[in-house]
Each structure stands twice: as structure tokens, then as C-alpha cells.
Amino acid sequence: MARRLLFAILLLQLCFALAVAGLAVWLGGLWGWSGPGWPAALLLGLASVVLVRLVISGNNFRMARRAGGAMLPQHRLTAPAFLRMFAAEFAASMTLQSWTVLRPRTKFHLSGKDAATPVLPVLLVHGYGCDGAYWSRLARLLRQAGASYMTVDLEPMFGGIDDYAPQIEAALQQLCAATGKPQAIVVGHSMGGLAARAHLRAFGSARVARVITVGTPHHGTALAGFGPGLNARQMQRNSEWLAALAASEQPATRALIVSLWSHHDNIVAPQDSARLPGAGNVELAGIGHVALGSHTDATRFVLDEICRISHSFVVTETK
């Protein structure tokens, strides 16, 4: 469903660009001048789409900054650094929504040497309003590292987060059976991290070696109020669902989780909502929400953590 919706949004943007181009040509003829011509008019239309997307992205940063409270001096960005971060986040968002999600992708990759490789298989869980294509960068790194992985497309798109737990369990069963490994590492971006925690509550940790959450609003986000669906309401600040999830977790469950987050997240606000007590917490700076899935620092940490967890698992198994 996410792919169809994003494709529909892409078509809507194309229609908007064509409408702007047609309007420019029509106004040129109406006012008695040659106008920009269709090639230039089409460029104008595409530029209009980019401008609208820039405004939306800028507004997200503005709202997240206002909801985030005071920024500690060591995390404040200079104007050039902020512009670089904004450009990277905008590029990541545009690439994901206008190109990556529309391309064919490998949802299930077996390394071909599962019995020999020390790297545990990885289940990749996307966030709100997206699908498994979000992980294209990390998936490529996992293939290079010789790891098996699987992406899951959570359905329904705007359903309750608890509805995703059985889908994660089914994917884990399939991944572990195919690789011959008893457990896998779950990596969840944004809402995907909450879905991974909901899975632990419903099914336990028998098939889960570790959960790595990336930019996950563990305590909710002020921007969730602008999204449709039950899952968006569950991610609102101080929601009953988040409180019940936290109350259900034992210290041993939290110890399985590593939370990676950015002080400059433009969707999770306040940004430290991603800090989860009792879990391992890793802070980054100068990275936006969508860019966490492709930024070198974030993907390097996730890959290193997967290798570290896998090594610990192998050492424990051989004792």
C-alpha cells in the first residue's frame, strides 16, 4: 500500500508541475509575449514542486525545533552546518519518495554462506508511511558484509502498531529457518522500532538477539498529531499506548535494545524522546530523520553493532 500511495503522490506532483508549465505558457500567450516555451515551462513546473517540498521540509525542521526545547551548546549547529544537514535530509527524502520506493528491490537476501558466516541475519523494519525500500543503503552494506537480511512491509499502512507484531514474528520465523540461525537482529527505523518493541511484548525474545532502533520516538513525538491513522495517534506524546508498552517491559527486555538517535531529528520532537531508559543509547548530531537510514555515520554504527552482536553471539554459543 505504501508503494501505491507514494506512486500516487509522485503522479500528483507531476500533474502539478504540468499544470504550472501549462499556466506559464497560457499566460505568455494571453499577455502577447512568446512566453518561456514548453521546455523552460516544464523546468519551471518541476522547480515549483521542489520549492513546495523545500517549504514542507523546512516547516518540519521548524516545528521539530520548537517542540524540542533548548539545544545544548555542544549540539548547536553553525549556519553552514545546518544548511548541509538540511540539504542532506531533503535529498534523502526526495530520493526515497521519488526514486528508491519505485525501483525493484530485494526483499529477502541469503548470503549463500549462512552456516559459515558469523554475522547473524537481520530483519529490517521500516517506519511510518514507508516500506522496506527505506533500507536500500543498509541492505547494500549488509550484502557486502555477507549477511542475510529480510525487509518487511508493514500492513495496514495506518493500522495499529500491535497489528505489526505478528508480521514481524512471521518474518523472523522465515528468516531463521532459511539461514539456520536460531535468532536474528531486528533493526527498526522510527515507528519500526516501536513495532519491534510491540513484537517483544507479544512474542518474547526467543528469535531476537538484539533490537536496534533508529530515530524511534519511544516517548512519542509532537509531529505525530499531523499524521493520519491509529499508529500516528499511538505515537503522540504521552499516549496511553506508549505508556502501556513501557509498563509491560522488564529490565531484561530493555537490555536487548540499542537506540540510535539524532539531536537534530526533524520528525521526532523533542529529540530526546528517542532516549530509552534501560537500553543502550547512542547519540548523533547533524542528521535528519530520513537521512538516518543512509548517512555514513548512522549506517556505519548499525553495521558495526550488528557485527559486534554477532561476534558476542558466536562466543556465547561456543562456550
Side-chain angles (χ1 to χ4, degrees), residues 186-188 193 210-216 218 253-261 274 276 278-282 301-302 305 308-309:
V186 180
V187 182
R210 192 65 59 90
V211 172
I212 304 173
T213 67
V214 180
T216 292
H218 291 296
T253 302
R254 290 287 178 90
L256 288 174
I257 302 172
V258 177
S259 178
L260 176 70
W261 57 282
L276 187 63
N281 290 279
V282 179
F301 170 81
V302 173
E305 188 70 4
R308 185 190 69 78
I309 295 166

Side-chain angles (χ1 to χ4, degrees), residues 154 160-172 195-203:
L154 302 177
I161 297 176
D162 289 313
D163 295 338
Y164 304 141
Q167 299 172 48
I168 293 175
E169 176 65 12
L172 284 170
R197 289 174 59 196
H199 167 266
L200 288 175
R201 175 171 61 175
F203 294 94

Side-chain angles (χ1 to χ4, degrees), residues 26-110:
W26 178 75
L27 287 176
L30 183 66
W31 292 339
W33 57 291
S34 59
W38 274 106
L42 288 173
L43 288 176
L44 177 63
L46 292 174
S48 299
V49 171
V50 172
L51 179 60
V52 170
R53 294 291 301 271
L54 279 170
V55 171
I56 293 173
S57 185
N59 189 53
N60 285 342
F61 272 102
R62 182 188 65 83
M63 291 189 296
R65 181 68 185 87
R66 291 183 62 182
M71 182 73 68
L72 294 176
Q74 62 267 33
H75 300 310
R76 292 174 184 164
L77 299 178
T78 62
F82 174 80
L83 289 175
R84 287 193 297 270
M85 178 188 68
F86 182 89
E89 174 68 7
F90 181 73
S93 179
M94 287 291 289
T95 301
L96 175 67
Q97 297 178 11
S98 302
W99 174 247
T100 306
V101 297
L102 304 178
R103 296 178 61 198
R105 58 185 169 91
T106 303
K107 295 184 178 182
F108 195 175
H109 171 75
L110 291 176

Side-chain angles (χ1 to χ4, degrees), residues 222-238:
L223 275 68
F226 297 95
L230 176 58
N231 45 7
R233 294 194 296 274
Q234 290 172 333
M235 289 189 288
Q236 291 180 7
R237 294 284 291 169
N238 303 314

Side-chain angles (χ1 to χ4, degrees), residues 81-296:
F82 174 80
L83 289 175
R84 287 193 297 270
M85 178 188 68
F86 182 89
E89 174 68 7
F90 181 73
S93 179
M94 287 291 289
T95 301
L96 175 67
Q97 297 178 11
S98 302
W99 174 247
T100 306
V101 297
L102 304 178
R103 296 178 61 198
R105 58 185 169 91
T106 303
K107 295 184 178 182
F108 195 175
H109 171 75
L110 291 176
S111 69
K113 51 181 180 178
D114 296 291
T117 180
V119 183
L120 288 172
V122 180
L123 180 66
L124 302 171
V125 186
H126 64 82
Y128 179 82
C130 195
D131 66 8
Y134 174 80
W135 296 109
S136 59
R137 165 70 175 169
L138 183 58
R140 184 165 63 252
L141 295 176
L142 288 171
R143 290 195 297 270
Q144 294 171 357
S148 297
Y149 68 86
M150 184 176 181
T151 63
V152 59
D153 294 336
L154 302 177
E155 295 287 351
M157 189 174 184
F158 301 118
I161 297 176
D162 289 313
D163 295 338
Y164 304 141
Q167 299 172 48
I168 293 175
E169 176 65 12
L172 284 170
Q173 290 181 15
Q174 182 180 355
L175 185 58
C176 290
T179 59
K181 303 289 187 181
Q183 291 184 318
I185 297 169
V186 180
V187 182
H189 175 249
S190 195
M191 183 194 70
L194 295 176
R197 289 174 59 196
H199 167 266
L200 288 175
R201 175 171 61 175
F203 294 94
S205 60
R207 291 186 175 85
V208 179
R210 192 65 59 90
V211 172
I212 304 173
T213 67
V214 180
T216 292
H218 291 296
H219 306 285
T221 171
L223 275 68
F226 297 95
L230 176 58
N231 45 7
R233 294 194 296 274
Q234 290 172 333
M235 289 189 288
Q236 291 180 7
R237 294 284 291 169
N238 303 314
S239 75
E240 292 183 3
W241 185 87
L242 286 172
L245 178 64
S248 71
E249 293 174 329
Q250 300 297 318
T253 302
R254 290 287 178 90
L256 288 174
I257 302 172
V258 177
S259 178
L260 176 70
W261 57 282
S262 171
H263 283 280
H264 299 92
D265 196 304
N266 55 311
I267 298 297
V268 177
Q271 286 71 27
D272 62 3
S273 175
R275 182 186 288 122
L276 187 63
N281 290 279
V282 179
E283 305 172 17
L284 297 176
I287 308 175
H289 188 73
V290 176
L292 281 167
S294 56
H295 193 280
T296 300

